[in-house]
């Protein structure tokens, strides 16, 4: 029972990746953009060096280097990455079990690999980089009628028309067909493996989640709305606070009509202490309080604040602070 409860709790992170339609649409757009980028690269920028030793490095770089760059950008653009960093800095991961940390890393990596895997798959299906990379390793003895004594230097030059004698150029058609077959077969095997992996993760998510579909959908909508409203409100708050500080320095502040309306409506913007910022920052595991769901750190902070239960908040948030505010 204890093991089942642990798995149920910590695989909630996995569900965050699959249950949001916005995430699926976003991942689809990333994949389409990657396909377009890869196709444009092959048409306008890919040029096999046709040199022994260089073909292999260039082909691998054409497949791997953009994929690595896409992966790192995906990691950096994921909000959960910085939530995990904040959790490590603020609370030393005291509230995060190993299973939960592994599941969270899974969701971060799961989103980040969409673009690089798409790049790799399309590269393999198109086959240009693969044929360039492995052309120099083709065994000339397997080609009927190919002159003996020809080494990797000659084989590496075959992808470039005119770089070898005319009587050897026609062998490239057979070599290219074989290498593209290998490349595309590898690509389709990778697609099948990824599809099976996603299917198994979806099954695992459905079996391990303690929440029903409707509540999961509500949780997703709540997080999306909270993020949107928080960012909009933070932008207005920061602008008003900046306006007050500028006015205190110059004696006046130049505001446009919208800023004046906001200032008239809200009057003032009080600074928020670091303790409260830290309380609503970091990784969050789904929790309930007396049977009532707490959908985020902000939701938890608001609940304890309304109850004026600061001691319970400090314990629950696991914060080390010099004083509450």
């Amino acid at each position: 029972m204890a093991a089942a409860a642990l798995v149920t709790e910590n695989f909630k992170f996995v569900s965050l990746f699959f249950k949001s339609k916005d995430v699926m649409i976003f991942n689809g757009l990333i994949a389409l953009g990657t396909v377009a980028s890869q196709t444009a690269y092959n048409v306008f920028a890919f040029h096999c060096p046709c040199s022994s030793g260089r073909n292999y490095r260039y082909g691998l770089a054409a497949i791997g280097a953009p994929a690595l760059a896409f992966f790192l950008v995906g990691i950096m653009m994921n909000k959960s990455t910085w939530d995990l960093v904040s959790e490590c800095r603020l609370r030393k991961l005291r509230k995060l079990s190993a299973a939960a940390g592994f599941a969270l890393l899974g969701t971060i990596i799961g989103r980040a690999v969409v673009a690089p895997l798409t790049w790799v798959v399309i590269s393999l299906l198109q086959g240009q980089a693969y044929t360039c990379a492995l052309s120099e390793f083709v065994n000339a003895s397997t080609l009927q009628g190919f002159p003996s004594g020809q080494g990797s230097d000659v084989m590496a030059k075959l992808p470039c028309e005119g770089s070898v004698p005319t009587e050897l150029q026609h062998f490239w058609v057979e070599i290219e067909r074989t290498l593209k077959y290998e490349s595309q077969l590898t690509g389709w095997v990778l697609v099948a493996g990824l599809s099976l992996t996603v299917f198994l993760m979806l099954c695992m998510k459905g079996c391990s989640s303690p929440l029903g579909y409707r509540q999961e959908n509500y949780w997703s909508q709540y997080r999306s709305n909270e993020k949107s409203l928080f960012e909009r409100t933070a932008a207005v708050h920061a602008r008003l606070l900046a306006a007050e500080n500028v006015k205190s320095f110059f004696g006046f502040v130049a505001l446009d009509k919208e800023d004046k309306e906001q200032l008239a409506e809200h009057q003032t913007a009080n600074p928020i202490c670091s303790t409260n910022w830290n309380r609503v920052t970091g990784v969050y595991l789904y929790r309930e309080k007396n049977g009532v769901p707490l959908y985020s750190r902000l939701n938890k902070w608001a609940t304890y604040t309304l109850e004026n239960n600061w001691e319970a908040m400090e314990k629950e948030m696991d914060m080390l602070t010099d004083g509450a505010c």
Side-chain angles (χ1 to χ4, degrees), residues 42 122-132 179-180 183-184:
N42 279 342
I122 297 301
S123 296
L124 291 173
L125 293 181
Q126 291 184 341
Q128 288 175 271
Y130 186 92
T131 56
C132 175
L179 291 178
K180 281 195 172 181
S183 178
Q184 292 179 357

Side-chain angles (χ1 to χ4, degrees), residues 68-78 112:
L68 177 60
F70 281 131
F71 177 73
L72 294 178
V73 170
I75 292 290
M76 290 185 291
M77 292 181 62
N78 195 323

Side-chain angles (χ1 to χ4, degrees), residues 20 28 50 90 94 104 154 156 166 186 188 211 223 233 258 272:
S20 173
C50 296
L90 296 173
R94 287 189 298 273
L104 179 59
V154 173
T166 306
T186 304
W188 286 121
L211 304 179
R223 290 186 297 107
T233 305
E258 183 179 358
I272 301 172

Side-chain angles (χ1 to χ4, degrees), residues 117-148:
L117 286 178
T118 302
W119 181 277
V120 171
V121 168
I122 297 301
S123 296
L124 291 173
L125 293 181
Q126 291 184 341
Q128 288 175 271
Y130 186 92
T131 56
C132 175
L134 296 187
S135 59
E136 61 183 284
F137 299 106
V138 174
N139 187 357
S141 63
T142 62
L143 302 173
Q144 185 176 3
F146 197 88
S148 60

Side-chain angles (χ1 to χ4, degrees), residues 37-58:
S37 300
Q38 212 285 332
T39 303
Y41 170 75
N42 279 342
V43 172
F44 299 108
F46 185 86
H47 298 288
C48 188
C50 296
S51 174
S52 180
R54 295 181 180 178
N55 283 13
Y56 185 67
R57 292 194 293 268
Y58 183 79

Side-chain angles (χ1 to χ4, degrees), residues 10-185:
N10 293 303
F11 271 103
K12 292 167 188 174
F13 276 116
V14 178
S15 68
L16 297 180
F17 175 61
F18 293 102
K19 70 186 177 185
S20 173
K21 294 181 180 178
D22 292 339
V23 169
M24 291 301 184
I25 294 173
F26 182 68
N27 288 338
L29 292 175
I30 290 177
L32 288 176
T34 306
V35 170
S37 300
Q38 212 285 332
T39 303
Y41 170 75
N42 279 342
V43 172
F44 299 108
F46 185 86
H47 298 288
C48 188
C50 296
S51 174
S52 180
R54 295 181 180 178
N55 283 13
Y56 185 67
R57 292 194 293 268
Y58 183 79
L60 290 183
I63 297 175
L68 177 60
F70 281 131
F71 177 73
L72 294 178
V73 170
I75 292 290
M76 290 185 291
M77 292 181 62
N78 195 323
K79 176 180 175 293
S80 296
T81 301
W82 308 113
D83 282 341
L84 185 59
V85 171
S86 297
E87 186 72 21
C88 181
R89 180 178 63 86
L90 296 173
R91 286 169 280 273
K92 311 301 181 186
L93 302 179
R94 287 189 298 273
K95 287 289 187 177
L96 193 63
S97 66
F102 178 79
L104 179 59
L105 285 175
T107 64
I108 295 172
I109 294 174
R111 293 188 184 185
V113 298
V114 173
L117 286 178
T118 302
W119 181 277
V120 171
V121 168
I122 297 301
S123 296
L124 291 173
L125 293 181
Q126 291 184 341
Q128 288 175 271
Y130 186 92
T131 56
C132 175
L134 296 187
S135 59
E136 61 183 284
F137 299 106
V138 174
N139 187 357
S141 63
T142 62
L143 302 173
Q144 185 176 3
F146 197 88
S148 60
Q150 304 292 342
S152 60
D153 291 342
V154 173
M155 305 306 294
K157 294 178 180 179
L158 285 175
C160 296
E161 186 176 356
S163 61
V164 295
T166 306
E167 61 269 18
L168 298 180
Q169 190 62 48
H170 72 277
F171 287 100
W172 175 243
V173 176
E174 180 182 350
I175 295 172
E176 184 181 33
R177 181 168 58 247
T178 301
L179 291 178
K180 281 195 172 181
Y181 154 75
E182 295 175 359
S183 178
Q184 292 179 357
L185 178 62

